Amino acid sequence: NIVLQILASLCGNLFATWFGPVSIVGPVFFAAQLLANLVVFWIVLGLEAFSHEMQIGTYVIVTSVILLIVNGPGTQDYTDQSFEDFIHRIYAIVWGILLMVGMLATAVWMAIFDLHKQK
């Protein structure tokens, strides 16, 4: 099982990038893993019984990932702009500041308050 998981991870991450941007690697990999679990453990080996709801859920997720590949994000062309042009826009600066403030606020919160109430 571990060898199959490693092979699935390698193949899934390699094959998924052939269909578009890197952002679809996760959904494609997890949908393929769900479908493989359904086929291998239920149909081939007969080790588990998948309920009707589990089967329908797997089919819906696989179908949505196929639609994501067909209608989802495409490759981006940045021929006329560089990374520096994007990062210096006002919304990028505001977003970076919001993320930094959020990170610092949660760090201070965790330092002040003991969330696990250890004695």
Side-chain angles (χ1 to χ4, degrees), residues 5-104:
Q5 289 291 334
I6 292 171
L7 286 174
S9 177
L10 290 174
C11 293
N13 290 330
L14 290 175
F15 294 148
T17 56
W18 290 351
F19 295 108
V22 179
S23 61
I24 65 168
V25 170
V28 168
F29 173 69
F30 292 123
Q33 190 173 18
L34 280 173
L35 190 60
N37 285 341
L38 183 75
V39 169
V40 170
F41 290 112
W42 180 46
I43 297 173
V44 175
L45 298 176
L47 295 175
E48 294 194 28
F50 289 91
S51 67
H52 183 69
E53 291 82 11
M54 295 166 74
Q55 294 173 34
I56 297 298
T58 301
Y59 300 146
V60 167
I61 289 173
V62 169
T63 303
S64 65
V65 168
I66 291 170
L67 292 175
L68 174 66
I69 292 170
V70 173
N71 297 323
T75 57
Q76 298 173 343
D77 185 21
Y78 297 124
T79 57
D80 58 337
Q81 294 180 335
S82 66
F83 175 73
E84 289 83 15
D85 294 334
F86 289 120
I87 203 70
H88 287 110
R89 293 191 178 165
I90 188 67
Y91 56 83
I93 294 170
V94 169
W95 181 247
I97 290 171
L98 286 173
L99 289 176
M100 186 63 69
V101 168
M103 181 185 68
L104 292 174

